[in-house]
């Protein structure tokens, strides 16, 4: 098997005196969809942010295509092929949809901007309808689509998604996960942090379970869906 495109080896992260991640190890291979599930406050978002150095890992290594990026700048990480759609969407509220999307080209420049705008409008037709509308006037689901599309505008080799279903209506969640499924079928490598374990595990080739800043379980999406402990803790026992 090829070396992972992204690998964390025994990563420790602290917020002041508080240890948020403890010896976390995981790997993601090119073309895979991998999920990280766990309760709120388990450290999932911290793990994603540590890949961009905010906060920095205080121990261990974060390897991207074999290079340790744990001390690199956020801009270096983004311009070399890692993009993140953050928790809470964080769109630029006073900018239009199109302006938000163009912000996603900052790591790579505008060479492919026109072409990639059209691709985003095909992937998310609602954004095409709203292209001249300010982001703050859109629904939560539309803003989530915009956040994902903005991340894709940097033509990433790996897409990091932090809680894409958070606070959204079930029908919108279903649409977003179908879009992620289509991206995965097209070869996109996806690392998904998600509290909705049912959706995440059904989408994923493999998954990890995080508890109190530590990886406690791992397996295929199907294995974890069928695991009694996971079902009891994250799937309501169903």
């Amino acid at each position: 098997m090829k070396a992972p495109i992204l690998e964390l080896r025994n990563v420790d992260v602290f917020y002041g005196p508080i240890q948020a991640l403890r010896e976390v190890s995981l790997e993601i291979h090119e073309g895979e969809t991998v999920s990280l599930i766990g309760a709120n406050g388990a450290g999932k978002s911290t793990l994603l942010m540590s890949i961009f150095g905010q906060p920095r890992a205080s121990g261990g290594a974060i390897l991207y295509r074999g290079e340790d990026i744990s001390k690199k700048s956020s801009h270096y990480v983004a311009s070399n092929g890692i993009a993140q759609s953050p928790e809470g969407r964080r769109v630029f509220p006073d900018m239009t949809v199109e302006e938000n999307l163009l912000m996603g080209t900052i790591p790579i420049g505008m060479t492919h901007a026109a072409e990639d705008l059209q691709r985003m409008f095909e992937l998310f037709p609602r954004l095409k309808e709203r292209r001249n509308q300010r982001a703050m006037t859109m629904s939560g689901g539309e803003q989530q689509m915009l956040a994902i599309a903005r991340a894709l505008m940097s033509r990433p080799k790996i897409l990091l998604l932090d809680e894409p279903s958070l606070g959204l209506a079930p029908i919108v969640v279903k649409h977003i996960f179908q879009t992620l499924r289509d991206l995965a079928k097209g070869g996109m490598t996806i690392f998904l942090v998600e509290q909705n374990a049912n959706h995440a595990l059904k989408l994923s080739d493999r998954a990890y379970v995080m508890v109190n800043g530590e990886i406690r379980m791992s397996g295929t999406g199907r294995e974890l869906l069928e695991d009694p402990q996971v079902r009891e803790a994250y799937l309501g026992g169903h």
Side-chain angles (χ1 to χ4, degrees):
M1 183 179 280
K2 289 183 181 178
I5 186 172
L6 182 67
E7 182 180 9
L8 277 69
R9 293 182 184 169
N10 301 313
V11 169
D12 294 321
V13 170
F14 287 82
Y15 288 110
I18 299 169
Q19 187 162 8
L21 299 180
R22 187 182 304 276
E23 295 189 351
V24 170
S25 295
L26 56 79
E27 59 184 44
I28 301 159
H29 291 263
E30 195 164 353
E32 275 192 314
T33 297
V34 176
S35 286
L36 179 66
I37 65 170
N40 190 33
K44 306 186 302 299
S45 294
T46 296
L47 187 153
L48 279 195
M49 292 189 295
S50 72
I51 294 168
F52 283 86
Q54 297 182 3
R56 290 222 175 272
S58 57
I62 300 172
L63 303 175
Y64 173 60
R65 295 176 150 185
E67 177 189 11
D68 187 354
I69 59 169
S70 58
K71 300 294 187 285
K72 298 293 187 181
S73 69
S74 299
H75 180 76
Y76 179 90
V77 173
S79 61
N80 278 274
I82 302 180
Q84 182 174 0
S85 174
E87 182 182 6
R89 301 178 276 279
R90 299 187 202 171
V91 296
F92 298 99
D94 289 319
M95 290 185 178
T96 66
V97 165
E98 186 167 324
E99 288 167 343
N100 267 272
L101 291 173
L102 291 175
M103 291 296 286
T105 68
I106 286 174
I108 63 166
M110 293 280 287
T111 305
H112 306 286
E115 175 188 346
D116 289 348
L117 271 177
Q118 292 310 310
R119 191 165 67 93
M120 293 308 111
F121 291 152
E122 290 168 10
L123 197 60
F124 298 102
R126 188 67 62 84
L127 298 183
K128 184 174 184 179
E129 297 170 15
R130 304 280 194 270
R131 68 185 299 169
N132 297 314
Q133 189 171 322
R134 286 198 298 171
M136 67 189 299
T137 66
M138 300 201 303
S139 70
E142 290 166 343
Q143 289 184 23
Q144 184 63 71
M145 294 172 199
L146 178 56
I148 295 171
R150 182 182 61 195
L152 291 171
M153 287 291 289
S154 67
R155 296 194 163 198
K157 300 293 186 293
I158 179 168
L159 176 64
L160 312 182
L161 296 158
D162 194 354
E163 303 284 8
S165 76
L166 188 66
L168 302 182
I171 191 168
V172 179
V173 173
K174 183 177 179 181
H175 173 68
I176 285 174
F177 271 85
Q178 183 56 55
T179 302
L180 297 181
R181 195 167 284 109
D182 293 342
L183 287 169
K185 285 179 181 176
M188 175 64 67
T189 306
I190 297 172
F191 184 32
L192 171 67
V193 160
E194 181 58 74
Q195 273 187 272
N196 189 324
N198 187 46
H199 277 292
L201 295 176
K202 285 179 177 176
L203 178 71
S204 299
D205 299 301
R206 294 187 302 106
Y208 296 86
V209 179
M210 177 167 274
V211 179
N212 295 330
E214 299 180 10
I215 299 295
R216 295 285 177 85
M217 298 178 69
S218 65
T220 67
R222 180 175 293 276
E223 285 170 348
L224 293 183
L225 265 175
E226 295 174 354
D227 185 278
Q229 291 181 63
V230 173
R231 294 173 75 86
E232 182 64 33
Y234 305 109
L235 302 169
H238 299 300

